[in-house]
Amino acid sequence: FLQGNNNHWVPYNIFHREARDLYRHYWQAGAKLMKQYKANTFIYELFNEPAYNDPSAYNRKLFSGYLERKYRTPEKMNRRWRTSYRSFEEASMVPNFSRVPPLSVDWGKFLEEGFTELAKLGCRSIREIDPGAKVIMVTAAGQKTNMVEALKRGAADFIQKPFDSAVIINTIEKVLEDE
């Protein structure tokens, strides 16, 4: 469940059960340490500047299932993409997703959903130890659906990149005032 060189600050497969257990342990151990030392914890950071793109055989198999759930049949997928793949497996094994733009978009959405689920696990894991932990989601420009989803799932607020220090300070003050 270790990754190759396509990832930044995300060393383990975001989909693999054992890797998720490892992330969960890491987040909870950090929260327990903060509690043990009676730290006035201001922030828990799940990831810092993460980048994740792992076209491993394991993820390609999961991606094939994602395509099947989304399109139901290869024919529907091919009509939408204007391609001629015989199966979801064949589509998921394309060596370079960026050469097939619709495939690249679905690959990005697949990874985005996996990373969103991992972030939810992180929040739940920390809140099991520190129920009062506040979550502020920091996201890239154009990720409005992720921001809305984060707020639905219990994030106190969100900050969209690029941002300046005034935005960060105002958001944190607002979250702390809402306590």
Side-chain angles (χ1 to χ4, degrees):
F1 56 85
L2 280 171
Q3 298 308 297
N5 295 328
N6 294 332
N7 305 307
H8 181 68
W9 299 111
V10 186
Y12 307 108
N13 188 308
I14 65 172
F15 297 101
H16 198 281
R17 185 186 54 78
E18 289 179 39
R20 286 187 175 213
D21 288 346
L22 191 65
Y23 283 119
R24 180 181 177 82
H25 175 76
Y26 170 78
W27 291 319
Q28 286 190 328
K32 286 175 184 175
L33 275 174
M34 295 299 107
K35 204 170 190 175
Q36 176 185 342
Y37 289 104
K38 298 179 180 13
N40 185 9
T41 306
F42 176 69
I43 188 170
Y44 293 100
E45 183 175 69
L46 300 180
F47 297 99
N48 183 354
E49 300 279 336
Y52 187 81
N53 180 24
D54 175 25
S56 65
Y58 182 84
N59 283 354
R60 286 174 182 271
K61 182 176 180 182
L62 296 175
F63 182 52
S64 175
Y66 170 88
L67 294 173
E68 186 171 4
R69 286 187 301 281
K70 182 173 181 177
Y71 296 105
R72 303 217 193 287
T73 68
E75 294 76 22
K76 286 182 183 177
M77 177 183 69
N78 286 325
R79 274 195 305 277
R80 185 127 185 235
W81 291 359
R82 295 185 175 105
T83 56
S84 58
Y85 296 108
R86 292 178 300 244
S87 67
F88 296 115
E89 293 79 18
E90 181 184 358
S92 73
M93 296 309 290
V94 168
N96 185 345
F97 292 139
S98 66
R99 294 193 180 190
V100 184
L103 182 61
S104 182
V105 169
D106 276 343
W107 174 251
K109 291 293 184 185
F110 164 72
L111 294 175
E112 181 181 298
E113 287 179 18
F115 207 85
T116 300
E117 287 303 313
L118 183 61
K120 289 178 198 174
L121 173 66
C123 292
R124 283 192 312 270
S125 299
I126 289 169
R127 285 183 174 150
E128 286 174 11
I129 307 303
D130 182 357
K134 301 291 182 205
V135 175
I136 298 174
M137 174 136 176
V138 179
T139 186
Q143 298 292 319
K144 186 170 181 147
T145 56
N146 283 348
M147 292 183 277
V148 171
E149 182 66 21
L151 291 171
K152 284 182 189 175
R153 300 285 181 174
D157 209 331
F158 63 85
I159 300 172
Q160 186 171 346
K161 292 181 181 181
F163 51 78
D164 60 27
S165 58
V167 170
I168 295 170
I169 291 167
N170 289 338
T171 303
I172 292 170
E173 286 176 347
K174 180 181 159 201
V175 169
L176 294 175
E177 285 174 8
D178 290 344
E179 287 183 356

mmCIF file of all heavy atoms in Angstrom, residues 64-85:
data_model
loop_
_atom_site.group_PDB
_atom_site.id
_atom_site.type_symbol
_atom_site.label_atom_id
_atom_site.label_comp_id
_atom_site.label_asym_id
_atom_site.label_seq_id
_atom_site.Cartn_x
_atom_site.Cartn_y
_atom_site.Cartn_z
ATOM 1 N N SER A 64 -12.038 0.787 -12.510
ATOM 2 C CA SER A 64 -12.902 0.034 -13.413
ATOM 3 C C SER A 64 -14.291 -0.127 -12.798
ATOM 4 O O SER A 64 -15.317 0.064 -13.469
ATOM 5 C CB SER A 64 -12.272 -1.329 -13.713
ATOM 6 O OG SER A 64 -13.136 -2.117 -14.477
ATOM 7 N N GLY A 65 -14.335 -0.464 -11.519
ATOM 8 C CA GLY A 65 -15.622 -0.575 -10.821
ATOM 9 C C GLY A 65 -16.345 0.758 -10.733
ATOM 10 O O GLY A 65 -17.580 0.827 -10.856
ATOM 11 N N TYR A 66 -15.605 1.839 -10.527
ATOM 12 C CA TYR A 66 -16.184 3.182 -10.504
ATOM 13 C C TYR A 66 -16.862 3.487 -11.840
ATOM 14 O O TYR A 66 -17.990 3.976 -11.881
ATOM 15 C CB TYR A 66 -15.069 4.194 -10.209
ATOM 16 C CG TYR A 66 -15.449 5.642 -10.378
ATOM 17 C CD1 TYR A 66 -16.008 6.367 -9.327
ATOM 18 C CD2 TYR A 66 -15.224 6.306 -11.582
ATOM 19 C CE1 TYR A 66 -16.344 7.701 -9.482
ATOM 20 C CE2 TYR A 66 -15.558 7.637 -11.744
ATOM 21 C CZ TYR A 66 -16.114 8.335 -10.687
ATOM 22 O OH TYR A 66 -16.451 9.666 -10.851
ATOM 23 N N LEU A 67 -16.152 3.187 -12.941
ATOM 24 C CA LEU A 67 -16.715 3.422 -14.273
ATOM 25 C C LEU A 67 -17.984 2.596 -14.478
ATOM 26 O O LEU A 67 -18.976 3.086 -15.029
ATOM 27 C CB LEU A 67 -15.683 3.098 -15.357
ATOM 28 C CG LEU A 67 -14.450 4.000 -15.410
ATOM 29 C CD1 LEU A 67 -13.446 3.454 -16.426
ATOM 30 C CD2 LEU A 67 -14.840 5.432 -15.731
ATOM 31 N N GLU A 68 -17.957 1.357 -14.030
ATOM 32 C CA GLU A 68 -19.126 0.487 -14.192
ATOM 33 C C GLU A 68 -20.321 1.036 -13.405
ATOM 34 O O GLU A 68 -21.441 1.051 -13.899
ATOM 35 C CB GLU A 68 -18.803 -0.932 -13.751
ATOM 36 C CG GLU A 68 -19.925 -1.900 -14.021
ATOM 37 C CD GLU A 68 -19.541 -3.341 -13.785
ATOM 38 O OE1 GLU A 68 -18.402 -3.608 -13.337
ATOM 39 O OE2 GLU A 68 -20.388 -4.218 -14.046
ATOM 40 N N ARG A 69 -20.079 1.497 -12.180
ATOM 41 C CA ARG A 69 -21.180 2.070 -11.384
ATOM 42 C C ARG A 69 -21.721 3.342 -12.039
ATOM 43 O O ARG A 69 -22.915 3.581 -12.038
ATOM 44 C CB ARG A 69 -20.723 2.374 -9.957
ATOM 45 C CG ARG A 69 -20.545 1.137 -9.091
ATOM 46 C CD ARG A 69 -20.248 1.475 -7.643
ATOM 47 N NE ARG A 69 -19.040 2.265 -7.449
ATOM 48 C CZ ARG A 69 -17.797 1.782 -7.460
ATOM 49 N NH1 ARG A 69 -17.594 0.482 -7.654
ATOM 50 N NH2 ARG A 69 -16.759 2.580 -7.259
ATOM 51 N N LYS A 70 -20.832 4.124 -12.620
ATOM 52 C CA LYS A 70 -21.241 5.387 -13.223
ATOM 53 C C LYS A 70 -21.980 5.193 -14.550
ATOM 54 O O LYS A 70 -23.003 5.826 -14.788
ATOM 55 C CB LYS A 70 -20.017 6.286 -13.441
ATOM 56 C CG LYS A 70 -20.371 7.632 -14.022
ATOM 57 C CD LYS A 70 -19.185 8.570 -14.068
ATOM 58 C CE LYS A 70 -19.618 9.906 -14.644
ATOM 59 N NZ LYS A 70 -18.531 10.872 -14.641
ATOM 60 N N TYR A 71 -21.466 4.324 -15.411
ATOM 61 C CA TYR A 71 -22.015 4.184 -16.765
ATOM 62 C C TYR A 71 -22.856 2.932 -16.979
ATOM 63 O O TYR A 71 -23.580 2.842 -17.956
ATOM 64 C CB TYR A 71 -20.880 4.213 -17.794
ATOM 65 C CG TYR A 71 -20.155 5.534 -17.807
ATOM 66 C CD1 TYR A 71 -18.894 5.655 -17.247
ATOM 67 C CD2 TYR A 71 -20.742 6.664 -18.356
ATOM 68 C CE1 TYR A 71 -18.222 6.869 -17.249
ATOM 69 C CE2 TYR A 71 -20.086 7.881 -18.360
ATOM 70 C CZ TYR A 71 -18.825 7.979 -17.798
ATOM 71 O OH TYR A 71 -18.169 9.183 -17.797
ATOM 72 N N ARG A 72 -22.741 1.954 -16.123
ATOM 73 C CA ARG A 72 -23.475 0.687 -16.190
ATOM 74 C C ARG A 72 -23.037 -0.230 -17.329
ATOM 75 O O ARG A 72 -22.937 -1.416 -17.149
ATOM 76 C CB ARG A 72 -24.977 0.894 -16.227
ATOM 77 C CG ARG A 72 -25.516 1.693 -15.056
ATOM 78 C CD ARG A 72 -26.842 1.183 -14.613
ATOM 79 N NE ARG A 72 -27.570 2.049 -13.717
ATOM 80 C CZ ARG A 72 -27.268 2.266 -12.445
ATOM 81 N NH1 ARG A 72 -26.235 1.701 -11.919
ATOM 82 N NH2 ARG A 72 -28.011 3.058 -11.709
ATOM 83 N N THR A 73 -22.824 0.291 -18.520
ATOM 84 C CA THR A 73 -22.357 -0.545 -19.634
ATOM 85 C C THR A 73 -21.237 0.183 -20.383
ATOM 86 O O THR A 73 -21.234 1.421 -20.448
ATOM 87 C CB THR A 73 -23.479 -0.847 -20.663
ATOM 88 O OG1 THR A 73 -23.840 0.364 -21.331
ATOM 89 C CG2 THR A 73 -24.704 -1.473 -19.996
ATOM 90 N N PRO A 74 -20.304 -0.577 -20.972
ATOM 91 C CA PRO A 74 -19.255 0.068 -21.779
ATOM 92 C C PRO A 74 -19.838 0.859 -22.957
ATOM 93 O O PRO A 74 -19.291 1.893 -23.337
ATOM 94 C CB PRO A 74 -18.400 -1.105 -22.275
ATOM 95 C CG PRO A 74 -18.633 -2.194 -21.282
ATOM 96 C CD PRO A 74 -20.072 -2.009 -20.832
ATOM 97 N N GLU A 75 -20.961 0.386 -23.481
ATOM 98 C CA GLU A 75 -21.581 1.085 -24.612
ATOM 99 C C GLU A 75 -22.007 2.510 -24.221
ATOM 100 O O GLU A 75 -21.801 3.460 -24.983
ATOM 101 C CB GLU A 75 -22.789 0.297 -25.144
ATOM 102 C CG GLU A 75 -22.439 -1.045 -25.776
ATOM 103 C CD GLU A 75 -22.098 -2.137 -24.757
ATOM 104 O OE1 GLU A 75 -22.512 -2.036 -23.577
ATOM 105 O OE2 GLU A 75 -21.394 -3.084 -25.140
ATOM 106 N N LYS A 76 -22.606 2.653 -23.043
ATOM 107 C CA LYS A 76 -23.005 3.991 -22.584
ATOM 108 C C LYS A 76 -21.784 4.878 -22.380
ATOM 109 O O LYS A 76 -21.790 6.056 -22.741
ATOM 110 C CB LYS A 76 -23.801 3.902 -21.281
ATOM 111 C CG LYS A 76 -25.207 3.400 -21.461
ATOM 112 C CD LYS A 76 -25.941 3.386 -20.122
ATOM 113 C CE LYS A 76 -27.326 2.810 -20.287
ATOM 114 N NZ LYS A 76 -28.038 2.711 -19.009
ATOM 115 N N MET A 77 -20.744 4.301 -21.798
ATOM 116 C CA MET A 77 -19.508 5.046 -21.598
ATOM 117 C C MET A 77 -18.932 5.477 -22.943
ATOM 118 O O MET A 77 -18.562 6.645 -23.124
ATOM 119 C CB MET A 77 -18.492 4.184 -20.846
ATOM 120 C CG MET A 77 -17.143 4.840 -20.648
ATOM 121 S SD MET A 77 -15.954 3.738 -19.829
ATOM 122 C CE MET A 77 -15.672 2.515 -21.120
ATOM 123 N N ASN A 78 -18.888 4.569 -23.908
ATOM 124 C CA ASN A 78 -18.335 4.876 -25.223
ATOM 125 C C ASN A 78 -19.143 5.945 -25.953
ATOM 126 O O ASN A 78 -18.569 6.813 -26.616
ATOM 127 C CB ASN A 78 -18.240 3.605 -26.070
ATOM 128 C CG ASN A 78 -17.108 2.715 -25.626
ATOM 129 O OD1 ASN A 78 -16.060 3.187 -25.215
ATOM 130 N ND2 ASN A 78 -17.327 1.413 -25.688
ATOM 131 N N ARG A 79 -20.463 5.885 -25.841
ATOM 132 C CA ARG A 79 -21.297 6.924 -26.471
ATOM 133 C C ARG A 79 -20.980 8.290 -25.873
ATOM 134 O O ARG A 79 -20.844 9.276 -26.590
ATOM 135 C CB ARG A 79 -22.787 6.609 -26.296
ATOM 136 C CG ARG A 79 -23.353 5.680 -27.364
ATOM 137 C CD ARG A 79 -24.870 5.674 -27.400
ATOM 138 N NE ARG A 79 -25.498 5.359 -26.128
ATOM 139 C CZ ARG A 79 -25.707 4.127 -25.642
ATOM 140 N NH1 ARG A 79 -25.325 3.076 -26.348
ATOM 141 N NH2 ARG A 79 -26.297 3.944 -24.485
ATOM 142 N N ARG A 80 -20.853 8.330 -24.584
ATOM 143 C CA ARG A 80 -20.585 9.600 -23.899
ATOM 144 C C ARG A 80 -19.188 10.119 -24.219
ATOM 145 O O ARG A 80 -18.990 11.312 -24.398
ATOM 146 C CB ARG A 80 -20.729 9.395 -22.400
ATOM 147 C CG ARG A 80 -20.596 10.640 -21.594
ATOM 148 C CD ARG A 80 -21.782 10.773 -20.687
ATOM 149 N NE ARG A 80 -21.773 12.002 -19.984
ATOM 150 C CZ ARG A 80 -21.833 12.098 -18.664
ATOM 151 N NH1 ARG A 80 -21.907 11.009 -17.934
ATOM 152 N NH2 ARG A 80 -21.851 13.254 -18.098
ATOM 153 N N TRP A 81 -18.229 9.227 -24.280
ATOM 154 C CA TRP A 81 -16.840 9.628 -24.502
ATOM 155 C C TRP A 81 -16.438 9.661 -25.986
ATOM 156 O O TRP A 81 -15.372 10.144 -26.306
ATOM 157 C CB TRP A 81 -15.899 8.653 -23.815
ATOM 158 C CG TRP A 81 -15.883 8.657 -22.341
ATOM 159 C CD1 TRP A 81 -16.602 9.446 -21.484
ATOM 160 C CD2 TRP A 81 -15.086 7.812 -21.523
ATOM 161 N NE1 TRP A 81 -16.307 9.141 -20.187
ATOM 162 C CE2 TRP A 81 -15.363 8.131 -20.176
ATOM 163 C CE3 TRP A 81 -14.170 6.813 -21.781
ATOM 164 C CZ2 TRP A 81 -14.755 7.499 -19.104
ATOM 165 C CZ3 TRP A 81 -13.558 6.183 -20.722
ATOM 166 C CH2 TRP A 81 -13.852 6.528 -19.390
ATOM 167 N N ARG A 82 -17.284 9.055 -26.830
ATOM 168 C CA ARG A 82 -16.942 8.880 -28.252
ATOM 169 C C ARG A 82 -15.666 8.024 -28.396
ATOM 170 O O ARG A 82 -14.720 8.382 -29.092
ATOM 171 C CB ARG A 82 -16.777 10.230 -28.945
ATOM 172 C CG ARG A 82 -18.064 11.013 -29.002
ATOM 173 C CD ARG A 82 -17.907 12.284 -29.796
ATOM 174 N NE ARG A 82 -19.177 12.957 -29.936
ATOM 175 C CZ ARG A 82 -19.517 14.050 -29.257
ATOM 176 N NH1 ARG A 82 -18.672 14.593 -28.410
ATOM 177 N NH2 ARG A 82 -20.689 14.609 -29.445
ATOM 178 N N THR A 83 -15.685 6.898 -27.692
ATOM 179 C CA THR A 83 -14.574 5.945 -27.715
ATOM 180 C C THR A 83 -15.119 4.565 -28.084
ATOM 181 O O THR A 83 -16.320 4.417 -28.355
ATOM 182 C CB THR A 83 -13.873 5.880 -26.339
ATOM 183 O OG1 THR A 83 -14.840 5.562 -25.332
ATOM 184 C CG2 THR A 83 -13.189 7.196 -26.013
ATOM 185 N N SER A 84 -14.251 3.570 -28.058
ATOM 186 C CA SER A 84 -14.689 2.210 -28.432
ATOM 187 C C SER A 84 -14.043 1.139 -27.542
ATOM 188 O O SER A 84 -13.568 0.134 -28.042
ATOM 189 C CB SER A 84 -14.358 1.948 -29.900
ATOM 190 O OG SER A 84 -12.969 2.109 -30.109
ATOM 191 N N TYR A 85 -14.052 1.355 -26.250
ATOM 192 C CA TYR A 85 -13.499 0.353 -25.331
ATOM 193 C C TYR A 85 -14.446 -0.840 -25.233
ATOM 194 O O TYR A 85 -15.660 -0.676 -25.195
ATOM 195 C CB TYR A 85 -13.259 0.957 -23.950
ATOM 196 C CG TYR A 85 -12.213 2.046 -23.975
ATOM 197 C CD1 TYR A 85 -12.567 3.372 -23.825
ATOM 198 C CD2 TYR A 85 -10.870 1.729 -24.178
ATOM 199 C CE1 TYR A 85 -11.611 4.374 -23.863
ATOM 200 C CE2 TYR A 85 -9.907 2.721 -24.224
ATOM 201 C CZ TYR A 85 -10.289 4.042 -24.063
ATOM 202 O OH TYR A 85 -9.342 5.027 -24.112
#
